[in-house]
Amino acid sequence: MERTLIKDLRSKIDQTVELKGWLQVLRDQKKIQFLILRDPTGAAQVAHWKPNNEALAEEIAKLGTESALTITGKVIDNPVVKLNGLEIQLESLIVDNNAESPLPFDPFAETLPTIDYRQDWRYMDLRRPVNNLFFQVETLVELAMREYWTKNNFIEIHTPKLVGAPSESGAELFSLDYFERKAYLAQSPQFYKQMAMASGFERIFEIGPVFRADPSFTSRHMTEFTGVDMEMSWIDSHEDVMASEEQWLNYVYTRVKEQFGDAIKEQFGVDLVIPTLPFPRIPMKEAVEILKSRGWVPADKKGDIDPAGERDIAAYVKEKYNHDFVFLTDWPIGVRPFYHMRKPEDETLTRSFDLIACGLEITTGAQREHRVEVLQKQATEKGLHFEPIQFYLDFFRYGCPPHGGFGLGLARLMMVMLGVGNIRESVFLFRGPTRLIP
Ligand code: ATP
């Protein structure tokens, strides 16, 4: 018999069907047993009249909740049943995998254990429909990203994650033994995205793993995360990159709202708002002034904004423009890497931006410096030696167009979209300084 999904049961009234799923609840009464069976599409009530089959009744009585079962039974239309007004009259049952009891925790309990404990048993935690929906949405998010990009002539690339030189700061680098020498795990595909511009690809994207040896314990950092990166050629400034990113995000949100808007409202309590175009833009100098006038105190003089500042500027943008997104532009050179292009009209600033969404940084982007002499000068100023990055500097020696791009953290976008407060709940498996298992 072919498996029926629980969502399709109503079309099978009075027929015998086969269901596969997890035993969420067992109510063993004197004459009758009720089993709530759950599959990824819903839950159904299965009833077994004990006198019909005493041996089967005994087998059912021993089942642990969360066992994986295949059952067959007849679908009865019964308005009295709370679950969809349907009941399955049990005919036979196969225990595919019995669940031991007690469970490490009951994923359907009113109060759940701490995030850290749930991480140990992440597969149990993921059984909750809200988490299943999370990854259905994430799947669509990635699909929509690729749809937008392929419709707009972007090429997808896959760059190496084993690298010989850091592309960002040396401080957050994981190193490993590589035969007779050291190798590193890529902190971003930055250098290779730019190589694609020197390769004449014009527009590229990559969705892939990024590694950061960041020892911090925050609700938004991981040591391994999925980076969503794009790079485009023949731009005039970082403005072209921002315009491209906002249209792309608008497309992604539109696709998600169409397909999952109702489910997201029901499961996450979030009424998804498609961000309108254009997103507000605020130069950093102005942002710092706005924040100071609201009582924010900068942590240092470098011109950066800390997470509290990010939240506060988002609150300001919400009040003033009723928008959840804001591009902070024109960052000072001190807090930007050597490859960000400087503003010709003010050499202390870069043609760069961060995108803040609902108070969380989700993207950094910029126009890149493609003039090799200028790039070398900026590298020297940052104290970098040419030798390890010579292969990178060479990209700009034989005809490389002006270009720019951005990097976005997939898990951070998902946090923002679905209103999830902690990145540990926004990823299949979390990796942090003290978390390598499971
Ligand atoms: P932050 O200031 O939050 O540490 P960053 O400035 O180091 O981030 P970038 O190097 O600009 O981040 O990386 C681009 C994007 O990648 C960020 O905007 C963010 O969405 C994501 N990202 C960066 N670091 C992490 C991390 N440790 N865990 C998860 N996502 C990250």
Side-chain angles (χ1 to χ4, degrees), residues 223-342:
T223 48
E224 176 178 352
F225 65 92
T226 300
V228 180
D229 275 89
M230 77 82 122
E231 202 72 21
M232 58 197 281
S233 282
W234 306 113
I235 60 168
D236 291 329
S237 76
H238 54 320
E239 179 51 48
D240 293 331
V241 183
M242 288 188 280
S244 183
E245 181 173 18
E246 64 191 0
Q247 282 165 36
W248 169 77
L249 282 173
N250 174 276
Y251 179 83
V252 170
Y253 270 75
T254 304
R255 289 281 277 118
V256 170
K257 180 142 184 146
E258 262 168 24
Q259 195 163 327
F260 289 114
D262 293 341
I264 289 171
K265 198 183 278 176
E266 190 190 311
Q267 295 277 350
F268 289 92
V270 171
D271 197 355
L272 206 63
V273 178
I274 299 169
T276 53
L277 301 177
F279 297 0
R281 287 142 168 78
I282 306 179
M284 273 301 280
K285 250 190 199 145
E286 212 179 290
V288 168
E289 290 313 312
I290 292 167
L291 284 172
K292 282 184 184 162
S293 75
R294 293 166 68 94
W296 172 80
V297 185
D300 56 45
K301 289 211 170 355
K302 285 195 227 142
D304 208 347
I305 291 185
D306 59 4
E310 287 169 0
R311 286 192 292 274
D312 204 27
I313 201 76
Y316 167 84
V317 170
K318 188 77 184 164
E319 287 158 27
K320 180 138 192 214
Y321 303 105
N322 190 27
H323 212 289
D324 293 326
F325 290 73
V326 57
F327 284 117
L328 300 180
T329 67
D330 305 358
W331 289 66
I333 54 175
V335 294
R336 291 313 225 200
F338 74 99
Y339 53 79
H340 281 197
M341 187 179 273
R342 295 180 182 179

Side-chain angles (χ1 to χ4, degrees), residues 168 172 212 214 220-223 225 361-364 407-409 412 423:
E168 306 290 323
E172 295 189 341
R212 304 263 170 105
D214 183 344
R220 62 190 186 284
H221 287 98
M222 301 187 277
T223 48
F225 65 92
E361 179 205 316
I362 62 169
T363 293
T364 295
L408 169 145
R412 290 213 189 160
I423 206 160

Side-chain angles (χ1 to χ4, degrees), residues 165-168 188-198 231 337-341 367-372 374-376 378-379 384-398 400 403:
S167 60
E168 306 290 323
S188 87
Q190 186 58 35
F191 287 180
Y192 301 120
K193 290 199 296 176
Q194 293 188 254
M195 185 185 120
M197 301 300 98
E231 202 72 21
F338 74 99
Y339 53 79
H340 281 197
M341 187 179 273
Q367 176 165 15
R368 324 299 185 183
E369 183 49 72
H370 64 285
R371 298 161 296 183
V372 72
V374 184
L375 191 58
Q376 281 168 331
Q378 292 181 183
L384 295 179
H385 299 293
F386 290 172
E387 199 196 82
I389 55 165
Q390 191 56 51
F391 73 96
Y392 169 71
L393 297 170
D394 286 345
F395 297 158
F396 310 101
R397 291 175 58 204
Y398 304 104
C400 184
H403 61 277

